[in-house]
Amino acid sequence: MNFIDIADSSRNYITMFGVQGNQFGQKVVAAQCTVDYILKFLEVDKSVQREIIEIQVSNISKYIQYGLDGNDIYFPPLIFSSRGRGEFDQLNNQFLLKTEDTMVILDGQHRIKAFEVLKKRLESSQDPENKEKLKYIKNFPLTIQIYSDLTLEQERQLFTDVNTKSAKVSNTLLVMYKDNDLCGNLVKDIIINHPSISPDKFETRAKTTTTKLMTAASLYNISLTLNDGILVRKSTQNKINDDNYPLYRKNVEDFLTLLMKYAPDQSLDRNKYFIMNPNALQGIAKCIHQLRQNDPDFDMENLFQSSVRLFDWSHKNKELKQAGIPFNTKTKKYRFTVGTRIATRISELLLKKYLYHTGGYTHV
């Protein structure tokens, strides 16, 4: 592959020899390209990519180092979306891309990042032996697949599908990217349009959060528990449909509003409070669902006023030990590892406190 002039000598192109085919109704070019040129046209769009996981880059770098030591190494194809840039010359079986153009990587971000890290390290080295290693890295051939006319939604879907089958993508990304899931659409709707909570209060990419209110995946699970009593996500049990969507949405929106109203001050300080733990939140949602099973008109604010507000959400709460929730004596914090059991225990404790303060039964 090299730079060549096409018709207009003022414009240079990167030329990749390959073949054009069709996958899933989309035109795709399969070609081979060196690392050095991939880094020239590489574009990372964070709206269709997860954050770099450094340990993954480090592990791939070790594998590349194995190749630098004289061993054969192999990488699966990298997948790009050209977003209309470039063109395929069927007569000469060449994909032509202007040198100033970029293509968005959909799969292989960590692989190419590992090559980039090693390339920069070797470029800064004064060791003459590293010149050959640098040449090896820059000229290492990688197979790439180029989709030409994907929409943003199709890019996200392809990213999700590919990574669901290989490197695990967080449930948060799966919720945010999939469009054929009505409960997922509800979550995205609330994150964007909640009247009093801004979108930046939610984590929409990472698996967990220690600084934000909750992840999109946690909000998804809360919706399932609050509306349908589901603790373990199974799409076949999800009862949401177009008719009950407004009610389901209002329930989740109200839940978040009341949570912010009645949660302790500094409740996002997870070293002090555990109310924002995903399993604890599902416990609150489960308690509300149970009360509504007995009274469809139950106002969830009653639970927040008479139970959630009065509950000790700190790690000093000894009631949790009595309920069988494990406590780490070194960190002085509770461990919320078994999700369904934790949510059930929290729900039981909240219900007990609610019934006591509303005269449901005699406190023991």
Side-chain angles (χ1 to χ4, degrees):
M1 187 193 71
N2 58 355
F3 288 111
I4 60 173
D5 293 336
I6 300 293
D8 184 355
S9 60
S10 66
R11 296 191 300 168
N12 289 331
Y13 289 77
I14 294 175
T15 306
M16 288 170 273
F17 292 90
V19 294
Q20 187 178 60
N22 188 288
Q23 286 186 348
F24 319 117
Q26 299 292 330
K27 289 182 180 180
V28 58
V29 173
Q32 195 172 67
C33 186
T34 65
V35 165
D36 200 35
Y37 280 111
I38 290 175
L39 291 173
K40 293 181 187 299
F41 61 69
L42 173 71
E43 178 184 349
V44 177
D45 184 343
K46 290 188 177 181
S47 69
V48 292
Q49 268 292 349
R50 53 185 166 183
E51 295 293 332
I52 285 286
I53 303 172
E54 295 300 332
I55 187 64
Q56 193 168 332
V57 174
S58 177
N59 289 336
I60 296 172
S61 296
K62 292 176 182 177
Y63 181 59
I64 299 173
Q65 184 62 54
Y66 180 70
L68 286 171
D69 293 337
N71 301 287
D72 292 330
I73 58 175
Y74 167 78
F75 290 96
L78 280 62
I79 301 177
F80 287 85
S81 174
S82 71
R83 295 183 173 177
R85 305 180 189 114
E87 59 182 274
F88 187 74
D89 180 356
Q90 294 185 352
L91 182 62
N92 297 301
N93 286 328
Q94 296 174 346
F95 182 80
L96 310 174
L97 182 72
K98 294 179 183 178
T99 57
E100 69 268 25
D101 282 345
T102 60
M103 295 192 293
V104 174
I105 191 163
L106 301 181
D107 184 59
Q109 178 185 206
H110 289 85
R111 276 165 267 160
I112 196 63
K113 183 65 176 180
F115 275 103
E116 183 181 26
V117 169
L118 287 173
K119 178 174 177 282
K120 289 181 177 178
R121 187 182 304 164
L122 291 170
E123 285 175 338
S124 63
S125 172
Q126 302 299 318
D127 188 343
E129 291 184 5
N130 284 337
K131 289 184 177 181
E132 281 303 309
K133 292 182 178 180
L134 177 60
K135 184 178 179 181
Y136 173 90
I137 292 293
K138 293 173 68 173
N139 294 312
F140 191 94
L142 291 171
T143 300
I144 64 173
Q145 292 180 325
I146 306 167
Y147 288 84
S148 58
D149 297 307
L150 298 179
T151 64
L152 184 61
E153 290 73 23
Q154 288 171 330
E155 288 179 354
R156 289 174 171 171
Q157 185 68 51
L158 181 56
F159 168 83
T160 302
D161 290 345
V162 168
N163 285 280
T164 301
K165 299 295 186 296
S166 55
K168 189 175 181 180
V169 178
S170 72
N171 285 332
T172 299
L173 279 179
L174 292 176
V175 169
M176 295 304 295
Y177 284 1
K178 282 191 174 295
D179 291 323
N180 57 348
D181 183 342
L182 196 55
C183 188
N185 292 341
L186 179 150
V187 167
K188 287 179 279 191
D189 185 4
I190 289 176
I191 288 175
I192 296 171
N193 298 308
H194 193 283
S196 59
I197 304 174
S198 61
D200 62 0
K201 299 297 183 183
F202 298 92
E203 176 54 62
T204 59
R205 300 186 61 79
K207 181 180 180 181
T208 60
T209 181
T210 58
T211 59
K212 298 186 180 183
L213 185 61
M214 64 186 68
T215 66
S218 294
L219 187 56
Y220 187 104
N221 292 335
I222 288 169
S223 177
L224 292 180
T225 306
L226 183 67
N227 290 301
D228 296 322
I230 299 171
L231 285 178
V232 179
R233 187 188 304 185
K234 292 181 180 179
S235 59
T236 54
Q237 295 178 317
N238 194 342
K239 298 177 183 178
I240 189 171
N241 54 51
D242 290 335
D243 293 331
N244 62 29
Y245 180 93
L247 175 61
Y248 275 43
R249 188 194 183 285
K250 184 179 186 305
N251 287 339
V252 179
E253 184 178 284
D254 289 348
F255 178 93
L256 292 174
T257 300
L258 294 169
L259 178 67
M260 298 303 290
K261 181 178 179 180
Y262 290 103
D265 292 338
Q266 301 177 5
S267 59
L268 291 183
D269 184 352
R270 287 161 169 85
N271 289 320
K272 186 174 182 180
Y273 298 107
F274 61 86
I275 188 171
M276 295 304 173
N277 177 276
N279 298 321
L281 292 172
Q282 275 192 276
I284 301 173
K286 177 177 172 61
C287 190
I288 294 170
H289 181 266
Q290 184 175 341
L291 288 167
R292 280 189 167 166
Q293 288 292 98
N294 299 325
D295 178 8
D297 296 323
F298 174 77
D299 184 350
M300 73 172 74
E301 187 163 11
N302 291 336
L303 179 73
F304 278 90
Q305 285 179 329
S306 303
S307 184
V308 174
R309 177 176 62 90
L310 304 174
F311 194 80
D312 182 2
W313 293 103
S314 76
H315 289 276
K316 295 179 181 180
N317 187 340
K318 294 181 180 179
E319 235 185 331
L320 272 64
K321 286 184 182 179
Q322 298 170 1
I325 297 177
F327 185 78
N328 189 321
T329 55
K330 292 183 178 179
T331 63
K332 304 296 183 183
K333 297 177 186 176
Y334 285 99
R335 291 186 289 111
F336 302 96
T337 51
V338 185
T340 55
R341 185 166 70 88
I342 297 297
T344 299
R345 293 292 183 271
I346 295 292
S347 176
E348 291 170 349
L349 291 171
L350 289 171
L351 181 61
K352 180 180 177 182
K353 186 173 289 293
Y354 170 76
L355 293 175
Y356 170 68
H357 284 284
T358 58
Y361 65 78
T362 303
H363 186 59
V364 294

